[in-house]
């Protein structure tokens, strides 16, 4: 299976490493808007072909494309790949916005191509252990969830650019942690949100710099999710707490690291669950390759990953209307 890569940054390297480690996968080419970066990246993986025009990757006869690019560019590349009959592993959310996500879903279905969104949390051991503990009744009946995902984002990066990224809610909140929470608890029935923008207010900056969203999951499970691009560098602000009638979980899901969690039974001290390695990217790469080969399924296909963009749109709409609750159904 031949895989071409669009993008040459840190996360492109992480995901390319995971793909290259799958038996039978060959990295056949690399594209980046800076030719020197594309050349260096291609040389790193013995790809033999590099370009600053991603369309030229077609000359390498790939079976699939990994896309790790700013989301508006990503939308363009993914559309090209699908129209070219190529399977796609997307490095982030399915698309920059809901209309673009609908087009990805349509093209993938029409051409029977595998598309996997980049939410590797669904393959991560710490999230699976949390799901097991909740399913086993280790915390009793779930009452509420609190999540915090703050990053000290570089204001010069494309993540802070509303047009390039599609906004903080789609780019960041969907990843941390709407997607894995939805995997644990299902599609929420209602959402409400408030946002502000106080630190970086330059023209073109993300419209929603900090967001607090409130969601209601099945069984009257309440959730508050805080995400944003402002925090002191040293502050730890990447966590999920699940409170139940008979205990609680404190999750530190990690980003590059494997993460860990603490289980608090109703009586007694906490029980620690630790993980030696972050195997999520490799597990996702194996699932993607297996799906392309026709003997496995992926965890984030378009018909599921589009729901995250649907929620993001509702959250932005609620914020624009002063935090009014909105139902997620038709």
């Amino acid at each position: 299976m031949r895989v071409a890569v669009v993008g040459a940054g840190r996360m492109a390297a992480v995901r390319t490493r995971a793909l290259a480690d799958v038996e039978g996968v060959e990295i056949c080419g690399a594209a980046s808007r800076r030719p020197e970066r594309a050349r260096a990246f291609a040389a790193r993986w013995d790809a033999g072909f590099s370009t600053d025009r991603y369309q030229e990757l077609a000359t390498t006869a790939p079976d699939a494309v990994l896309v790790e690019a700013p989301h508006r560019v990503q939308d363009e590349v993914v559309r090209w790949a699908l129209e070219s009959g190529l399977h796609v592993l997307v490095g982030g959310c399915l698309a920059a916005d809901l209309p673009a996500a609908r087009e990805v879903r349509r093209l993938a279905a029409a051409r029977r191509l595998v598309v996997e969104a980049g939410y590797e949390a669904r393959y991560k051991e710490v999230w699976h252990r949390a799901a097991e503990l909740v399913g086993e009744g280790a915390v009793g009946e779930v009452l509420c969830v609190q999540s915090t995902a703050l990053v000290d984002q570089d204001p010069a990066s494309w993540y802070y650019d509303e047009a390039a990224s599609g906004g903080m809610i789609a780019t960041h909140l969907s990843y941390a942690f709407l997607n894995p929470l939805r995997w644990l608890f299902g599609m929420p029935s209602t959402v409400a949100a408030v946002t502000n923008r106080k630190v970086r207010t330059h023209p073109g900056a993300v419209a929603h710099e900090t967001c607090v969203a409130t969601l209601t999951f099945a069984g009257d499970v309440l959730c508050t999710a805080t995400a944003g691009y402002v925090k002191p560098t040293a502050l730890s602000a990447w966590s999920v707490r699940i409170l139940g009638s008979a205990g609680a979980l404190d999750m530190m899901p990690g980003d590059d690291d494997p993460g860990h969690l603490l289980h608090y039974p109703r009586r007694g001290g906490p029980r620690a669950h630790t993980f030696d390695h972050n195997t999520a990217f490799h597990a996702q790469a194996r699932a993607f390759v297996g799906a392309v080969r026709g003997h496995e399924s992926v965890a984030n296909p378009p018909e599921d990953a589009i729901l995250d963009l649907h929620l993001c749109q509702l959250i932005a709409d609620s914020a624009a209307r002063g935090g009014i609750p909105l139902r997620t159904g038709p």
Side-chain angles (χ1 to χ4, degrees):
M1 177 174 160
R2 293 168 63 81
V3 179
V5 181
V6 178
R10 182 181 69 87
M11 287 309 303
V14 169
R15 293 185 184 275
T16 301
R17 172 78 280 161
L19 286 165
D21 285 346
V22 179
E23 184 177 357
V25 169
E26 175 188 356
I27 307 304
C28 60
S32 173
R33 61 186 178 86
R34 287 188 274 180
E36 66 278 8
R37 293 194 70 182
R39 283 194 296 272
F41 197 90
R44 180 176 177 181
W45 306 104
D46 296 323
F49 181 84
S50 66
T51 178
D52 61 351
R53 296 186 67 253
Y54 66 82
Q55 296 92 337
E56 294 179 351
L57 290 172
T59 64
T60 67
D63 301 296
V65 178
L66 164 65
V67 185
E68 272 284 358
H71 292 154
R72 291 299 179 188
V73 177
Q74 170 191 298
D75 290 347
E76 176 186 310
V77 177
V78 170
R79 183 185 181 99
W80 163 80
L82 294 174
E83 289 179 339
S84 301
L86 305 176
H87 306 282
V88 184
L89 175 56
V90 181
C93 53
L94 185 64
D97 55 32
L98 192 53
R102 290 180 178 133
E103 180 67 1
V104 171
R105 181 181 60 181
R106 183 189 69 80
L107 287 170
R111 289 163 171 76
R112 298 184 179 180
L113 295 168
V114 175
V115 175
E116 165 75 339
Y119 300 116
E120 82 280 357
R122 295 196 181 194
Y123 297 88
K124 198 165 186 174
E125 288 183 87
V126 64
W127 282 101
H128 279 266
R129 187 61 186 134
E132 289 169 359
L133 289 167
V134 171
E136 292 165 2
V139 300
E141 185 178 1
V142 177
L143 306 177
C144 66
V145 181
Q146 299 169 302
S147 75
T148 302
L150 303 177
V151 294
D152 180 23
Q153 192 58 263
D154 178 1
S157 73
W158 67 266
Y159 292 98
Y160 234 116
D161 185 317
E162 180 77 14
S165 69
M168 187 279 295
I169 294 173
T171 300
H172 179 55
L173 178 57
S174 74
Y175 181 96
F177 299 98
L178 286 183
N179 177 270
L181 287 175
R182 186 171 61 78
W183 174 66
L184 255 66
F185 300 109
M187 188 70 171
S189 57
T190 65
V191 300
V194 288
T195 67
N196 61 25
R197 184 175 74 155
K198 292 190 173 186
V199 177
R200 305 291 179 181
T201 59
H202 55 275
V206 290
H208 309 285
E209 189 177 52
T210 302
C211 174
V212 178
T214 303
L215 305 95
T216 306
F217 291 101
D220 203 23
V221 174
L222 310 178
C223 174
T224 59
T226 300
Y229 284 168
V230 179
K231 83 170 185 72
T233 303
L235 176 68
S236 177
W238 195 265
S239 63
V240 177
R241 172 168 290 175
I242 300 173
L243 177 66
S245 60
L249 299 179
D250 265 354
M251 294 180 61
M252 283 57 71
D255 192 9
D256 294 335
D257 59 273
H260 63 281
L261 66 85
L262 296 172
H263 170 214
Y264 292 85
R266 191 169 183 85
R267 300 285 184 264
R271 302 167 186 173
H273 297 259
T274 59
F275 310 91
D276 294 331
H277 304 287
N278 183 8
T279 60
F281 291 107
H282 279 75
Q284 186 175 44
R286 289 192 299 270
F288 175 70
V289 173
V292 170
R293 291 171 174 166
H295 54 71
E296 197 165 343
S297 58
V298 291
N300 302 286
E303 58 269 23
D304 183 85
I306 197 172
L307 298 177
D308 298 301
L309 277 300
H310 176 59
L311 288 177
C312 290
Q313 183 63 63
L314 290 174
I315 287 169
D317 290 347
S318 176
R321 297 158 82 172
I324 185 172
L326 300 174
R327 298 199 65 82
T328 63

